Amino acid sequence: MVITYTIRNSLYVNLTNHCTNRCTFCVRETAPGEYPDLWLEREPTLAEILEDLSSYKTLNKFSEIVFCGYGEPTCRLYDMLETCRRLREMTSTPIRVNTNGHASLILEEDTAPLFKGLVDCVSISLNAPDSETYARLCRPRFGEDTFSGVIKFAREVVKYVPSVVLTAVRGTITDEELERCAAIAQEIGAKFRARDYIG
Ligand code: SF4
């Protein structure tokens, strides 16, 4: 079971294969056989995650530790945050969370304050400039209100996390829509990054 893996100089943590979206461009949909090691036969327990991280002689050699993988890490928000807490004791390497921004929808409460002091960067997949486009591209479990939920989470989490980046995937929306996404990020006080399509 692959719990952690490295890409260039970053260490990635693969907590879950669950996600509350079914994005049309997700590699899980477009190329499910592409990264077979990232399909977990079962979710690792918190103890297994911590044991895996402890097996590295040092975590300081990594430029970043990223919660990402083949699913949405905030589907296991409390385990993820506890892992961050333990990582803070083990290393000064910065921690990033790549998320669809659904944490507060999943837990049905404002989860943004929980990130304070534990996460250095949150990268939120905004993916669309409006609710209708988001629903079409991301097919979220929470229905039409999901997009406003993502925006609300982004607005809150900028208060607690030093770096917040909203992203959208180049090629899945028009350049004009990308610009509108960038404008949303600016208005929220976050950065914006257009990601390349991997399909
Ligand atoms: S939010 Fe991420 S993991 Fe979930 S379906 Fe979309 S691209 Fe895939």
Side-chain angles (χ1 to χ4, degrees):
M1 171 161 61
V2 175
I3 302 173
T4 58
Y5 56 101
T6 55
I7 298 179
R8 290 179 290 278
N9 202 30
S10 298
L11 181 70
Y12 283 74
V13 187
N14 183 28
L15 289 186
T16 182
N17 290 153
H18 290 292
C19 187
T20 41
N21 272 345
R22 258 185 337 111
C23 300
T24 50
F25 50 82
C26 180
V27 287
R28 294 149 37 108
E29 301 277 330
T30 59
E34 190 97 344
Y35 307 100
D37 290 349
L38 296 185
W39 283 116
L40 299 161
E41 66 263 23
R42 62 173 174 82
E43 290 191 341
T45 63
L46 179 60
E48 286 171 329
I49 297 161
L50 296 174
E51 191 185 329
D52 187 297
L53 289 166
S54 302
S55 71
Y56 289 87
K57 207 178 271 174
T58 174
L59 293 168
N60 291 333
K61 66 179 178 183
F62 295 111
S63 56
E64 209 175 17
I65 298 171
V66 187
F67 287 83
C68 184
Y70 233 22
E72 168 52 38
T74 66
C75 285
R76 296 186 64 186
L77 183 69
Y78 296 129
D79 286 340
M80 186 196 85
L81 293 173
E82 181 56 25
T83 306
C84 293
R85 197 168 288 119
R86 300 292 287 273
L87 279 169
R88 287 296 201 217
E89 295 165 6
M90 295 159 78
T91 179
S92 56
T93 299
I95 298 172
R96 168 160 57 104
V97 174
N98 286 358
T99 177
N100 61 16
H102 293 188
S104 299
L105 293 168
I106 296 167
L107 274 295
E108 297 182 334
E109 63 176 64
D110 178 15
T111 58
L114 304 175
F115 287 69
K116 187 178 180 182
L118 298 178
V119 176
D120 300 287
C121 175
V122 175
S123 177
I124 303 170
S125 303
L126 181 66
N127 288 341
D130 56 65
S131 182
E132 200 186 339
T133 311
Y134 187 89
R136 179 171 49 80
L137 283 177
C138 300
R139 301 181 290 185
R141 180 187 300 172
F142 301 108
E144 282 185 12
D145 290 340
T146 309
F147 183 76
S148 59
V150 173
I151 297 280
K152 196 171 169 192
F153 175 75
R155 268 189 208 294
E156 288 304 313
V157 87
V158 293
K159 299 175 189 168
Y160 304 102
V161 171
S163 174
V164 177
V165 186
L166 302 192
T167 70
V169 183
R170 210 179 269 118
T172 61
I173 54 176
T174 66
D175 287 351
E176 185 266 336
E177 287 169 325
L178 275 178
E179 279 172 28
R180 283 165 57 206
C181 290
I184 290 170
Q186 188 176 24
E187 191 265 319
I188 285 172
K191 297 175 205 125
F192 178 73
R193 186 168 72 84
R195 287 146 48 216
D196 287 325
Y197 178 78
I198 311 166

